Amino acid sequence: MTAADGEAKAAGGRRPREQAFWARAPLGPGGDSLDLLTARFDRHRYAPHYHEEFTVGVGVGGCEVIDYRGGRVDAGPGSIVVLAAGEVHTGGPAALGGYAYRAMYPLPSLLAEGTATPPHFREAVVDDPELAAALRAAHTELSGARGRVDPLEAESRVPWLLTALARRHGAARPLADRVPGADHIARAVRERLADELLAPPSLAELAAPLGLSRYQLLRAFRTSTGLPPYAWLAQYRVTRARAHLDAGLRPAEAASLVGFADQAHLTRWFRRVLGVTPAAYRNSVQDAGRRRGADSRHDGTRLVPLLTHGGPVGHPVSHDQGGGRQ
């Protein structure tokens, strides 16, 4: 019997699961990138090592034991682990059954955009269920997207969440929340995004002429509009795509004309904003046009139907077509 067979027998007959997947997400058009790790280990133990970036991980199963700063760190499901750049550490299972986690490796600057001093964490384990869920969701989307997530979206979400981590649980002094001139900043950003619809600038490129960090720009834009820039841009693109669909273009054609990566990208946002797919909306508009033509031939009048959620009253639009979430 091999050692692996013995371990499998001890684990109830199954062979150990040792899985690790790396991904890299761009942060902004032409900007830096973020490395992401999804791991599930039954018995793997890391040798002492360090990273040039911070390690920000979220436990998703089992319990991991980490040797760090001369002590022992226990990290279970839902906990956030923050390991400083350059700090030597290990990692391994706390008990039979292994451990699973998701980790991202941001440069220290990504955690310092909303603070006046460099990020520093006295404790390696953070208890913040809301932030842990948000970090895990962002990691899942960015690591599994295979290029489908807009770089501007990634650049908006990651610094926002990491700054929240540093401000809530780090020892650094936070910058003031209020950014003067938020409405002026938001207007300037909206105008530039609308002008550069097909190849939008990065957050860093938007922030630099205004003398702001990315976090400050996000704070000002959210304060003024209630949305991050990528969400505003997506909704503006949906509005423009809707006009193209009204004119008879196919969803794939409309998607390319307004800057969405493909028809699937358009569909996801179209459903979020209007509750229906582009195809269903286009069909309803065409059906309404045919009915108007028939009615005009019958009585010589021109009827203009009211619209609700993109579909004419009396002609409901199907919500069963296509993917995406509301």
Side-chain angles (χ1 to χ4, degrees):
M1 177 183 294
T2 67
D5 292 333
E7 289 177 353
K9 184 176 180 180
R14 60 176 177 79
R15 298 187 67 83
R17 292 173 294 180
E18 311 293 323
Q19 300 174 334
F21 304 97
W22 284 88
R24 179 164 292 170
L27 297 182
D32 295 331
S33 59
L34 178 71
D35 284 339
L36 305 127
L37 172 65
T38 302
R40 172 69 178 90
F41 296 128
D42 275 353
R43 57 185 174 81
H44 177 70
R45 296 182 183 277
Y46 286 100
H49 66 286
Y50 69 90
H51 304 280
E52 295 182 356
E53 312 86 1
F54 267 82
T55 301
V56 177
V58 178
V60 299
C63 187
E64 182 183 10
V65 176
I66 303 169
D67 296 320
Y68 180 68
R69 291 179 175 171
R72 167 177 162 146
V73 174
D74 295 293
S79 60
I80 302 174
V81 175
V82 185
L83 307 178
E87 291 273 7
V88 175
H89 58 279
T90 65
L96 193 67
Y99 61 105
Y101 66 98
R102 296 178 179 273
M104 55 182 66
Y105 300 88
L107 293 171
S109 58
L110 274 177
L111 288 89
E113 296 196 3
T115 62
T117 53
H120 176 71
F121 296 85
R122 295 190 180 96
E123 303 294 333
V125 176
V126 170
D127 181 18
D128 189 330
E130 178 187 24
L131 184 56
L135 285 167
R136 181 177 176 179
H139 187 291
T140 299
E141 291 194 24
L142 294 175
S143 60
R146 298 187 185 278
R148 292 196 301 270
V149 172
D150 191 315
L152 185 62
E153 178 177 353
E155 192 185 16
S156 297
R157 294 180 67 181
V158 171
W160 185 263
L161 292 174
L162 294 178
T163 297
L165 175 66
R167 289 164 63 96
R168 290 186 192 180
H169 304 288
R173 180 166 57 87
L175 293 173
D177 281 341
R178 183 177 178 275
V179 179
D183 289 342
H184 168 75
I185 293 168
R187 184 166 55 252
V189 171
R190 290 197 307 268
E191 289 176 355
R192 187 167 177 191
L193 289 175
D195 288 342
E196 302 179 44
L197 184 65
L198 298 182
S202 66
L203 278 186
E205 291 171 328
L206 290 167
L210 300 170
L212 303 173
S213 70
R214 286 182 293 196
Y215 175 79
Q216 290 173 314
L217 184 140
L218 285 168
R219 170 69 68 177
F221 198 91
R222 282 174 174 266
T223 298
S224 179
T225 68
L227 297 169
Y230 77 86
W232 180 90
L233 176 61
Q235 296 198 29
Y236 180 77
R237 284 171 165 165
V238 166
T239 300
R240 295 285 296 271
R242 186 175 175 180
H244 290 307
L245 295 172
D246 289 344
L249 270 65
R250 296 190 300 272
E253 295 172 318
S256 64
L257 289 174
V258 300
F260 282 115
D262 50 31
Q263 182 174 337
H265 193 192
L266 167 64
T267 297
R268 288 196 297 275
W269 275 103
F270 211 91
R271 290 205 65 182
R272 291 183 192 182
V273 175
L274 296 177
V276 298
T277 66
Y281 172 80
R282 179 174 180 266
N283 290 340
S284 71
V285 170
Q286 290 178 338
D287 289 347
R290 284 191 288 268
R291 287 201 311 278
R292 285 199 300 271
D295 291 338
S296 297
R297 287 192 297 273
H298 287 310
D299 59 16
T301 60
R302 182 173 182 272
L303 302 180
V304 181
L306 296 175
L307 294 179
T308 59
H309 294 290
V313 172
H315 185 73
V317 176
S318 170
H319 287 246
D320 298 329
Q321 303 177 51
R325 60 176 182 270
Q326 297 185 23

